[in-house]
Amino acid sequence: MAKSSFTIQNQQDHLRYLDMLKEEFTKKFQERSPCMNSVDDYDIIKAIGNGAYGEVFLVRNKSTFTYHAMKVVAKEVVVERKHVKHLILEKKILDCVQFPFTLTMDVAFKDNVYLYFILPFVAGGEMFNYIQKYGNFSDELSKFYAGQIVLAIEYIHHCEVIHRDIKPENILIDVTGYIKLCDFGFSKKIKKKTWTLCGTPEYLAPEIIMSRGYNYAVDWWAVGVLIYEMEAGTPPFYAGEPAKLYDNIIEGRYKFPENMNGECRNLVKGFLQVDPSKRIGSLIGGVYDIKSHSWFKEIDWHALLHQRLEPPFMPVCNSSGDTSNFPEISQPMLQRCSKCLYEAEFEDF
């Protein structure tokens, strides 16, 4: 296998850059951001997504006429699921992350019924929709996206944040052709280990399933699953029943498609090590082992970081408010209430 031109000195230079970003993240994390806006400051154009907690709408600021994505979360649902701390932490993390390949929050606020996250509108839509549309990606495109995810995960880990839900649905394709990692709903600041069972079944690392306590290595496992899915069109672990799926993950049982090249297979094997202490990204070489891997030998990491590489694919977007890359969904109406619900629980939001 051909060697990468990425050197240890290149990595040391990048780590100094990450140190500066971490300092900015930590400083902002310790501050409390004020709630400056309200839902009445925006025209709701269309619902473009939904999830476990609520809906995502395309909105337009009434003053600036700029388009945004507005994530709306019902307080009642959050309290019922005992996820109040999760949502408050998600807000803080989204407010603090500042990196080319992570989604950063513009502003957050609340009313009597809902919590609101105002985010940049990424008009290209979810990576998941493109995998469904095209079946799988070329090796060149998979590598281009994977490189950005590696840089994004390296950044958030440097800020002591674990993501825990890396998957195609949580990766947006920008109009520039570059990606944005989004949805920090399962994210958490950790020092060493955590034990919470959370994530998406097909992307769960073995140590999460076995409740052994886990660390940042679970995100590298998920990157391996992601690369496999981009190349093959389906995740490596799949079963009709959850118990069988979890058995396959714990045993590391999966097969490579014949058309996946050897260098990519080698890297995916490195990510999908059942023993997290043997998983690439968590070894003594850290992220350098990933960046210097032969599959990435053609990637200029500095140029990628600064978005100077020509994207292999550009989403079709006809205007700044174009929603054609999002699936058609039902259009819910937001509720109003004269009484402030769960005021004490969300005092710190």
Side-chain angles (χ1 to χ4, degrees):
M1 292 185 180
K3 288 186 177 180
S4 167
S5 60
F6 188 75
T7 66
I8 293 176
Q9 184 60 54
N10 294 148
Q11 179 64 4
Q12 289 173 343
D13 292 341
H14 184 65
L15 287 174
R16 282 192 287 272
Y17 167 67
L18 291 182
D19 284 339
M20 291 191 299
L21 296 185
K22 180 182 179 180
E23 189 176 338
E24 293 171 5
F25 177 95
T26 304
K27 182 180 178 182
K28 197 166 186 181
F29 194 83
Q30 293 167 349
E31 299 171 350
R32 182 171 178 175
S33 56
C35 296
M36 301 295 291
N37 297 45
S38 80
V39 68
D40 295 325
D41 295 324
Y42 300 89
D43 288 318
I44 296 177
I45 309 297
K46 184 181 183 182
I48 56 174
N50 47 41
Y53 293 106
E55 282 73 36
V56 179
F57 296 87
L58 172 68
V59 298
R60 184 172 55 202
N61 187 295
K62 292 179 180 178
S63 299
T64 64
F65 302 105
T66 54
Y67 289 96
H68 304 266
M70 182 173 75
K71 180 178 177 179
V72 182
V73 180
K75 292 180 184 179
E76 185 177 19
V77 175
V78 178
V79 172
E80 285 176 354
R81 298 181 184 182
K82 299 179 180 178
H83 284 177
V84 174
K85 289 183 179 178
H86 286 267
L87 262 292
I88 292 173
L89 182 58
E90 180 183 6
K91 177 201 170 188
K92 286 191 72 69
I93 291 173
L94 275 170
D95 192 37
C96 296
V97 288
Q98 293 287 343
F99 195 73
F101 310 129
T102 60
L103 198 66
T104 301
M105 183 177 73
D106 294 323
V107 69
F109 48 87
K110 58 192 173 183
D111 63 14
N112 290 349
V113 184
Y114 301 105
L115 309 172
Y116 301 88
F117 297 83
I118 302 297
L119 305 158
F121 174 56
V122 183
E126 297 174 3
M127 177 188 288
F128 176 77
N129 295 330
Y130 292 100
I131 293 176
Q132 282 200 319
K133 182 177 181 179
Y134 297 112
N136 65 323
F137 297 154
S138 68
D139 190 64
E140 180 189 18
L141 185 58
S142 299
K143 197 176 303 182
F144 179 71
Y145 290 152
Q148 294 168 71
I149 290 296
V150 167
L151 289 172
I153 296 303
E154 180 184 26
Y155 161 69
I156 66 169
H157 286 183
H158 204 76
C159 295
E160 300 177 346
V161 171
I162 184 173
H163 190 278
R164 300 195 291 191
D165 203 21
I166 298 160
K167 58 182 180 179
E169 293 92 329
N170 289 339
I171 299 168
L172 302 173
I173 313 298
D174 206 349
V175 292
T176 61
Y178 283 78
I179 63 101
K180 296 283 187 184
L181 177 64
C182 65
D183 200 336
F184 287 81
F186 286 142
S187 297
K188 182 179 182 180
K189 271 181 72 73
I190 65 169
K191 290 290 185 181
K192 291 183 179 179
K193 281 193 173 184
T194 188
W195 283 263
T196 311
L197 175 59
C198 64
T200 300
E202 289 81 4
Y203 277 73
L204 290 179
E207 59 268 32
I208 297 180
I209 297 169
M210 294 187 287
S211 303
R212 288 184 173 175
Y214 57 89
N215 58 18
Y216 302 108
V218 301
D219 283 343
W220 294 125
W221 172 279
V223 171
V225 177
L226 176 69
I227 293 173
Y228 184 105
E229 185 167 356
M230 289 192 292
E231 291 267 342
T234 58
F237 304 102
Y238 180 80
E241 299 177 3
K244 179 63 175 177
L245 170 66
Y246 293 150
D247 281 344
N248 289 341
I249 292 172
I250 291 168
E251 296 297 325
R253 288 195 296 262
Y254 64 95
K255 294 180 179 179
F256 285 111
E258 292 182 3
N259 62 341
M260 190 182 294
N261 74 55
E263 291 174 335
C264 186
R265 290 187 187 206
N266 182 270
L267 180 58
V268 170
K269 282 181 183 177
F271 282 124
L272 299 185
Q273 288 291 320
V274 172
D275 182 348
S277 68
K278 297 178 181 178
R279 197 171 298 155
I280 193 167
S282 301
L283 307 175
I284 193 169
V287 184
Y288 173 74
D289 292 340
I290 301 171
K291 293 180 181 177
S292 61
H293 191 275
S294 59
W295 190 58
F296 283 123
K297 63 181 180 293
E298 296 160 357
I299 292 287
D300 181 332
W301 290 98
H302 186 73
L304 181 64
L305 173 67
H306 294 284
Q307 301 178 53
R308 294 173 185 158
L309 300 181
E310 186 72 26
F313 170 78
M314 295 286 284
V316 177
C317 300
N318 297 317
S319 67
S320 56
D322 185 3
T323 61
S324 61
N325 292 309
F326 292 84
E328 291 294 328
I329 61 172
S330 60
Q331 300 296 307
M333 295 291 290
L334 296 184
Q335 299 174 2
R336 296 280 185 171
C337 182
S338 58
K339 179 185 175 183
C340 185
L341 305 178
Y342 307 103
E343 187 172 5
E345 286 86 346
F346 295 101
E347 182 182 2
D348 293 331
F349 185 87

